[in-house]
Amino acid sequence: TLQNYSEVLLFQFAGMGNLLKVLTRDIENYPHFFLDFENAQPTDGEREVWNQVNAVLQESEDILADLQEYKGAGQEIRDGIQNPNDNQLQEKAWNAVCPLVIKLKRFYEFAVKLEKA
C-alpha cells in the first residue's frame, strides 16, 4: 500500500541521513576510531589472499595509466575504410591499430585476472 511504501521511504531516508553523518564526521556520542589502511599487515591466515590481491593492485596502477592515455584510432580507421585503394592510409591505419590491439588484450587479461582475484 501507499502507507507501507511511505514508511519504507522514510526509513531509507533516515538511514541515508545517518550514513551522511558518518561520512561527514558529523557524529557526536559515537566512538571514534582510526583505521590505518596504509600500514595494515595481513595475518598468517590472510597472507595468501593478500599476496594475490596485492599483485593485482600493483598491476592496476599501470593499467589505469594506460587507460587514461588510450586515444583510440577512430580517425585512422575511418580514413582507411573511406580510401581502400590508398596504400599510405591503409598502412597508417594498420600501424595505428596494431599497438592498440595489444593494449586492449592486456586490458582484457587484467580484467580476467581481477575477476579471479
Side-chain angles (χ1 to χ4, degrees), residues 54-103:
N54 192 44
V56 171
L57 289 176
Q58 287 179 354
E59 185 180 357
S60 69
E61 293 178 20
D62 294 336
I63 295 291
L64 285 174
D66 283 348
L67 278 170
Q68 290 171 341
E69 295 171 1
Y70 186 84
K71 301 273 191 264
Q75 187 60 49
E76 291 88 347
I77 293 169
R78 279 189 292 281
D79 291 344
I81 290 172
Q82 292 172 356
N83 301 287
N85 297 323
D86 186 331
N87 288 337
Q88 186 176 5
L89 287 177
Q90 296 297 312
E91 186 78 21
K92 184 177 179 184
W94 181 256
N95 290 335
V97 168
C98 285
L100 296 179
V101 170
I102 293 168
K103 277 188 177 188

Side-chain angles (χ1 to χ4, degrees), residues 36-56:
D36 186 2
F37 290 107
E38 292 181 16
N39 297 312
Q41 294 297 316
T43 64
D44 290 338
E46 300 166 332
R47 176 106 23 223
E48 183 179 344
V49 172
W50 185 86
N51 287 338
Q52 291 174 340
V53 172
N54 192 44
V56 171

